[in-house]
Amino acid sequence: MKCPARIVVPVSEPVRPDSRPPTPDHDRRVAPSASRQQVEHWFGLSSLRTNIRVARDTVREKLHVWQLPGEVCADAVLLVCELVTNAVVHSGSSRVLCGLSLTSHGRLRIEVHDEGGTAIRRPDNARPGPEDESGRGLLIVQQLADSWGTARSTRTGGKAVWAVLRFGL
């Protein structure tokens, strides 16, 4: 089963991640080495809670175009939802930059960059109680992703959180 398509009317216009001229869908092909080709898609959003849905829908649509399996799409949509939610709620950023990278090696890398300087606590250090309404996002990321981590963002100056999903093509 392929990633299901969904027709969406964006809540707000995405902020372009850089000053490049717009392309039809902001995709670009990158050839990191002669034996490997990678496809990327980047989109920026203002840091509003309503744009969490826009991020989810954008990822779902792009993965449908890339014809990824339905399970990978569902996991990727949930991952981007959790990562963008954390960036919007906790970073203090005015915008969030999201990236998808698909390699020929059957890996999908999801990145969310913000402008904030707050440190990310690993789930090992924070366990929500049964009555807590939040605090499970990074636990979900840890369970779904084959690998994930954080780094200082070279794109926004804030932090980047990334997650990788592996699948068979």
Side-chain angles (χ1 to χ4, degrees):
M1 171 184 237
K2 299 286 187 225
C3 187
R6 183 173 172 195
I7 299 173
V8 177
V9 177
V11 176
S12 67
E13 281 295 311
V15 177
R16 287 204 4 252
D18 56 29
S19 60
R20 287 182 293 163
T23 58
D25 59 3
H26 300 248
D27 281 355
R28 65 185 177 118
R29 294 197 182 278
V30 180
S33 70
S35 64
R36 189 175 104 192
Q37 188 175 36
Q38 180 172 308
V39 177
E40 293 182 345
H41 179 76
W42 288 90
F43 60 99
L45 300 167
S46 56
S47 193
L48 301 170
R49 288 179 188 254
T50 54
N51 280 339
I52 296 166
R53 180 176 58 91
V54 174
R56 241 187 354 248
D57 293 342
T58 301
V59 168
R60 182 181 298 111
E61 289 174 8
K62 182 49 60 182
L63 299 185
H64 175 74
V65 168
W66 288 348
Q67 299 182 349
L68 294 186
E71 184 177 304
V72 173
C73 178
D75 288 350
V77 167
L78 183 52
L79 285 170
V80 82
C81 180
E82 294 300 336
L83 296 178
V84 170
T85 297
N86 282 351
V88 167
V89 172
H90 301 295
S91 74
S93 296
S94 63
R95 69 183 191 104
V96 175
L97 179 63
C98 302
L100 303 171
S101 301
L102 181 64
T103 72
S104 60
H105 298 299
R107 288 189 175 102
L108 174 66
R109 181 178 172 102
I110 300 163
E111 297 181 34
V112 175
H113 298 246
D114 64 42
E115 301 165 323
T118 59
I120 295 192
R121 291 186 331 200
R122 302 288 293 198
D124 309 343
N125 301 332
R127 295 275 183 213
E131 301 298 318
D132 291 338
E133 294 182 12
S134 64
R136 293 169 182 82
L138 291 179
L139 291 170
I140 293 170
V141 171
Q142 181 177 338
Q143 291 300 309
L144 287 179
D146 291 295
S147 60
W148 76 281
T150 65
R152 185 60 46 207
S153 173
T154 58
R155 295 176 182 265
T156 64
K159 69 179 165 302
V161 183
W162 55 268
V164 174
L165 292 172
R166 291 188 186 127
F167 59 94
L169 289 175

